[in-house]
């Protein structure tokens, strides 16, 4: 399928996992991808992989929690491609802490990246998406829909992303911009490979974040994201779609 021919999509977190898989899939469907990530080597590798397969991509380092860096990045994307049709906001971090021991700095870091960073990007792209009748896909999580033991900051950040996305969807509906969330669960990525639990973690509580069908690759989420960004998602806005193998079913 070539659902994104002549479209330009900015993907955050494009160096790894779901962001990388989304960037690769967008390019495979004919879109130009502006790939951003904190990790320079990783984001260059994603853009290189896309180019090697005949696609169009640009790599740029950007810390999504840095307001000025986000503004310059969106400006650079529009200067490079003269338009912007989509934002796929996948940059994120996860940490587990016993709630009573949670340090304020750790709470703040997770909120800064996952919630405020998502907002910085949405706010910066919206004027461009109004011009193109574009679409946003933000990364929430099953943690936004159900309790995540020892995941206080992460679940709060993802609940915020979900609520923020619905607000954007309503505020911009008449201006032709759609905004949706995906809620992945049990996807094999760098994030899930590097989880570190507090010593007090009660692992009896963990099955509620494991899918019924086994962990899946990030490409299964990328397919849903591309549907939402493309015209196939034209009547979907303010929605959150679980891609979690039935975890919360
Ligand atoms: P991932 O493989 O760790 O990819 C996230 C990418 O974001 C990494 O390349 C990371 O770089 C980058 N990043 C981190 N902080 C950043 C910042 N401040 N600015 C720019 N880039 C930054 O994670 P993933 O599993 O694909 O997750 C993608 C999104 O889905 C996240 O928002 C995550 O919360 C959400 N999600 C994932 C799952 C799952 O099962 N995997 C479930 C629910 C929700 P570094 O590697 O250098 O940190």
């Amino acid at each position: 399928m070539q659902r994104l021919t002549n479209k330009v999509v900015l993907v955050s977190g494009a160096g790894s996992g779901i962001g990388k898989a989304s960037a690769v899939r967008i390019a495979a469907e004919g879109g130009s991808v502006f790939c951003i990530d904190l990790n320079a080597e990783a984001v260059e590798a994603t853009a290189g992989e896309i180019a090697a397969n005949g696609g169009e991509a640009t790599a740029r380092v950007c810390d999504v929690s840095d307001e000025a860096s986000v503004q310059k990045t969106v400006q650079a994307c529009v200067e490079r491609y003269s338009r912007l049709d989509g934002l796929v906001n996948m940059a994120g971090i996860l940490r587990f802490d016993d709630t009573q021991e949670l340090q304020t700095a750790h709470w703040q870091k997770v909120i800064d990246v996952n919630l405020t960073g998502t907002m910085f990007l949405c706010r910066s792209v919206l004027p461009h998406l109004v011009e193109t009748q574009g679409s946003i896909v933000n990364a929430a999580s099953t943690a936004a829909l159900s309790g995540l033991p020892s995941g206080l900051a992460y679940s709060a950040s993802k609940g915020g992303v979900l609520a923020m996305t619905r607000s954007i969807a309503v505020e911009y509906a008449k201006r032709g911009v759609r905004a949706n969330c995906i809620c992945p669960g049990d996807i094999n990525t760098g994030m899930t490979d590097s989880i570190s639990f507090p010593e007090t973690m009660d692992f009896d509580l963990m099955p509620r974040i494991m899918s019924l069908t086994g962990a899946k690759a990030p490409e299964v989420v990328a397919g849903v994201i591309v549907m939402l960004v493309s015209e196939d998602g034209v009547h979907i806005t303010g929605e959150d779609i679980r891609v979690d193998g039935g975890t919360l079913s």
Side-chain angles (χ1 to χ4, degrees):
M1 274 187 286
Q2 290 281 301
R3 292 178 288 187
L4 296 173
T5 304
N6 299 326
K7 303 285 186 191
V8 178
V9 183
L10 192 157
V11 180
S12 79
S16 175
I18 300 168
K20 178 176 183 175
S22 300
V24 168
R25 178 70 182 265
I26 289 162
E29 296 226 17
S32 300
V33 199
F34 200 84
C35 303
I36 68 170
D37 201 286
L38 203 52
N39 184 327
E41 202 177 324
V43 75
E44 292 284 355
T46 301
E49 188 179 318
I50 289 170
N53 287 314
E56 170 57 37
T58 301
R60 183 180 169 105
V61 174
C62 172
D63 177 351
V64 299
S65 66
D66 178 336
E67 186 172 9
S69 176
V70 168
Q71 281 169 352
K72 284 182 194 150
T73 292
V74 172
Q75 196 179 342
C77 174
V78 174
E79 281 170 10
R80 170 73 181 83
Y81 291 111
S82 305
R83 62 183 292 132
L84 184 55
D85 300 276
L87 168 66
V88 173
N89 238 334
M90 291 300 120
I93 55 175
L94 167 66
R95 59 171 296 130
F96 286 90
D97 297 277
D98 181 282
T99 295
Q100 290 173 233
E101 306 297 330
L102 175 61
Q103 293 177 26
T104 306
H106 292 154
W107 161 273
Q108 197 60 53
K109 176 78 179 167
V110 173
I111 297 294
D112 285 350
V113 175
N114 293 1
L115 181 56
T116 310
T118 299
M119 181 277 286
F120 284 155
L121 271 163
C122 289
R123 192 179 60 185
S124 293
V125 303
L126 274 165
H128 306 290
L129 297 191
V130 168
E131 280 180 27
T132 57
Q133 307 285 278
S135 169
I136 293 172
V137 182
N138 287 331
S141 169
T142 51
L145 305 170
S146 171
L148 181 65
S150 301
L152 191 77
Y154 184 78
S155 57
S157 73
K158 295 301 185 181
V161 168
L162 190 62
M164 179 173 73
T165 306
R166 288 187 186 134
S167 293
I168 292 170
V170 173
E171 186 176 342
Y172 282 84
K174 285 187 182 175
R175 283 178 267 183
V177 177
R178 295 182 295 108
N180 293 289
C181 280
I182 44 117
C183 294
D186 209 9
I187 305 298
N188 283 326
T189 65
M191 178 177 282
T192 48
D193 285 351
S194 59
I195 288 177
S196 152
F197 295 108
E199 282 178 14
T200 51
M201 185 76 202
D202 179 352
F203 287 96
D204 287 347
L205 301 173
M206 290 315 279
R208 65 183 304 158
I209 67 165
M210 306 303 282
S211 62
L212 301 174
T213 52
K216 290 286 183 286
E219 285 73 18
V220 304
V221 189
V224 178
I225 288 170
V226 168
M227 180 276 289
L228 288 171
V229 171
S230 76
E231 275 296 295
D232 282 349
V234 70
H235 205 40
I236 305 175
T237 193
E239 183 58 276
D240 54 285
I241 299 185
R242 284 192 290 119
V243 191
D244 69 346
T247 307
L248 299 187
S249 295

